[in-house]
């Protein structure tokens, strides 16, 4: 029996080939964005909805997912020839949603035990390679449900959305969850009749979706939709830096970057999570606004402060460098991009680099007085913010993404990095704020309270937490600091790293510091230490 040749759509673009080659080599496998759903009580007895006690999918969830897959072309494609530099997206004529969704009940005796299980699952998702991706879309959903009488865990489930980086980016992962929660089957009906009609329609939703015809179009590749321009001076300077003989170039400033790239190490992603309460987040945001910095810039400064103190040896860590991924969605060219795909899930990313000199690192290490440490933290944050602002003002001119077209063999590129030093010490990636579906447009607190009660009675789930992580970046930064939040709820930091590349003890210390910095600032109002 022979398998039919896949129907090829467009060729993968530069950044899509970047990720496709990494997946095939097993050195980066997926992005994972996980939303915690809080389900209101199913009755006046305040019990959780019955489906949360089983491994069954609610018809409303299945209908919501079906709605998104039907409307998002990148969830309906495969990838052919991913072992080559000529990989293409493929048309998938039929998708059985049951092949993409699984549910697991998690026995646990405490909220912390469940949180540990969530972090473990997040890491597990990163370690799995997608199989048969020419004929099956490379994404999956895993749902964890706590099997417990612990009050804090009542009515919740965590929805893990793991996906191949070629089909979308972290921001798209957040948008997927927003679409899921806002899908028609999840929206609160306004009347009992509408509620019955919606429930009946959801119950009739078939798990097998048929797409006899290819999508009318796919979102353009990044270089097709963004007007990258390159000056000769930037191009030559960058190519010289990458390809010029080392004996003709000045020595690079050594930085702490864990261990050299080792493609032979087992691929295992470790994950640790940190939550900032809404009160802590509000206080930090207010302080950032008053100093004209962003929370991402402040986090870079806090990570630097922690690592400079925790790795005190100037020989081991004379300096540091970091990266900030940037969304290219605001830079889609109206002349080059199809407005029909303005809100489509896709991969649109660039980045900004930051260097922290030996002088800056030494100043942090020497600082003992709290006022001096706090002053340094804000000064460094302002420096990072200025770099980000400068980068954003210049994009899409002279950006390295415009140079990816010069890499003709991605597999040779990655193998050529084996044994080399990493360019960065860490990466901070912020996918922004998830907004739950609006309840409606009524005004007044009294009416709002009434609407919320009606919504809860209708059983509409709300997101209360968003956990985002990159998998272990074998040929990239040794640690990822990944952040996301839910409007009005917690701000979550997901730390991720490759086992045996970064010591667990160092990541535990970083987590302790990021936790204590926020707690201390909440306590004092002006001091992190």
């Amino acid at each position: 029996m022979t398998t039919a040749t896949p129907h090829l759509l467009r060729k993968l673009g530069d950044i899509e080939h970047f990720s496709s080659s990494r997946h095939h080599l097993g050195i980066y496998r997926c992005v994972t964005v996980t939303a915690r759903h809080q389900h209101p009580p199913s009755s006046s007895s305040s019990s959780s909805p019955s489906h949360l006690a089983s491994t069954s999918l609610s018809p409303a969830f299945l209908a919501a997912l079906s709605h998104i897959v039907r409307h998002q072309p990148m969830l309906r494609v495969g990838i052919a020839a991913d072992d080559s530099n000529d990989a293409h997206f493929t048309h998938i004529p039929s998708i059985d949603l049951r092949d993409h969704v699984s549910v697991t009940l998690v026995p646990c005796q405490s909220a912390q035990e469940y949180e540990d299980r969530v972090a473990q699952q997040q890491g597990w998702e990163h370690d799995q390679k997608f199989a048969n991706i020419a004929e099956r879309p490379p994404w999956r959903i895993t749902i964890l449900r706590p099997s417990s009488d612990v009050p804090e865990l009542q009515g919740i489930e965590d929805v893990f959305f793991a996906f191949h980086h070629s089909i979308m980016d972290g921001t798209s992962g957040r948008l997927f969850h927003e679409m899921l929660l806002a899908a028609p089957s999840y929206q609160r009906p306004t009347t009992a009749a509408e509620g019955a009609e919606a429930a009946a329609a959801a119950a009739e939703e078939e798990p097998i979706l048929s797409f006899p015809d290819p999508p009318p179009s796919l979102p353009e590749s990044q270089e097709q939709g963004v007007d990258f321009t390159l000056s000769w001076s930037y191009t030559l300077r960058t190519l010289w830096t990458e390809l010029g003989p080392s004996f003709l170039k000045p020595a690079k400033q050594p930085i702490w970057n864990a261990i050299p790239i080792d493609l032979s190490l087992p691929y295992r992603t470790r994950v640790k999570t940190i939550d900032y309460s809404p009160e802590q987040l509000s206080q930090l945001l207010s302080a950032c606004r008053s100093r004209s910095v962003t929370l991402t810039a402040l986090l870079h400064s806090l990570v630097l402060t922690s690592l400079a103190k925790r790795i005190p040896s100037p020989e081991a860590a004379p300096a540091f460098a970091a990266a900030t991924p940037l969304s290219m969605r605001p830079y889609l060219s109206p002349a080059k991009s199809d407005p029909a795909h303005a809100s489509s899930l896709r991969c649109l990313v660039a980045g900004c680099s930051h260097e922290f000199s030996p002088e800056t690192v030494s100043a942090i290490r020497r600082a003992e007085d709290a006022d001096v440490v706090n002053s340094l933290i804000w000064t460094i944050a302002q420096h990072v913010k200025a770099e980000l602002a400068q980068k954003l003002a210049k994009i899409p001119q002279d950006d390295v993404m415009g140079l990816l077209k010069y890499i003709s063999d991605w597999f040779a590129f990655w193998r050529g990095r084996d044994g080399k030093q990493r360019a960065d010490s860490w990466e901070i990636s912020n996918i922004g704020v998830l907004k739950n579906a609006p309840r409606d447009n009524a005004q007044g607190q009294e009416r709002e309270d009434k609407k919320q009660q009606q919504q809860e009675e209708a059983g509409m789930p709300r997101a209360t937490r968003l956990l985002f992580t990159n998998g272990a970046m074998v040929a990239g930064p040794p640690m990822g600091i990944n952040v996301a939040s839910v409007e009005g709820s917690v701000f979550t930091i997901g730390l991720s790293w490759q086992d045996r590349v970064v010591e667990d003890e160092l990541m535990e210390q970083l987590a302790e510091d990021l936790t204590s910095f926020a707690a201390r600032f909440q306590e004092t109002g002006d001091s992190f230490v």
Side-chain angles (χ1 to χ4, degrees), residues 292-328:
S292 300
V293 302
T294 62
L295 189 56
T296 298
L298 174 61
L299 284 172
H300 272 295
S301 185
L302 295 177
V303 171
L304 175 64
T305 301
S306 172
L307 295 181
K309 295 283 192 179
R310 296 293 190 173
I311 314 175
S313 168
E315 290 74 28
F320 294 88
T324 306
L326 304 171
S327 173
M328 294 300 289

Side-chain angles (χ1 to χ4, degrees), residues 453-519:
Q453 180 183 357
Q454 292 173 334
Q455 186 180 41
E456 290 176 349
E457 290 172 354
M460 180 177 179
R462 310 286 289 172
T464 59
R465 185 196 200 213
L466 193 66
L467 170 60
F468 156 58
T469 48
N470 278 289
M473 294 175 277
V474 173
M479 62 176 70
I481 293 90
N482 314 278
V483 298
S485 63
V486 173
E487 188 174 44
S489 189
V490 298
F491 173 85
T492 301
I493 302 173
L495 304 180
S496 59
W497 68 99
Q498 185 179 1
D499 191 38
R500 294 171 56 181
V501 169
V502 184
E503 294 295 332
D504 290 357
E505 181 182 6
L506 180 61
M507 300 306 296
E508 291 285 350
Q509 292 170 341
L510 174 60
E512 289 172 9
D513 289 342
L514 292 177
T515 300
S516 65
F517 287 151

Side-chain angles (χ1 to χ4, degrees), residues 5 32 117 133 151 174 205 218 224 253 294 296 358 364 367 373 396 400 402 437 445 464 470 472 482 497 507 520 522:
T5 302
T32 305
R117 180 66 177 82
I133 63 174
R174 169 178 59 81
E205 185 66 53
L218 294 182
Q224 290 174 331
Q253 168 61 56
T294 62
T296 298
I364 295 172
V373 176
V400 71
Q445 184 62 47
T464 59
N470 278 289
N482 314 278
W497 68 99
M507 300 306 296
R520 180 64 175 163
Q522 181 183 25

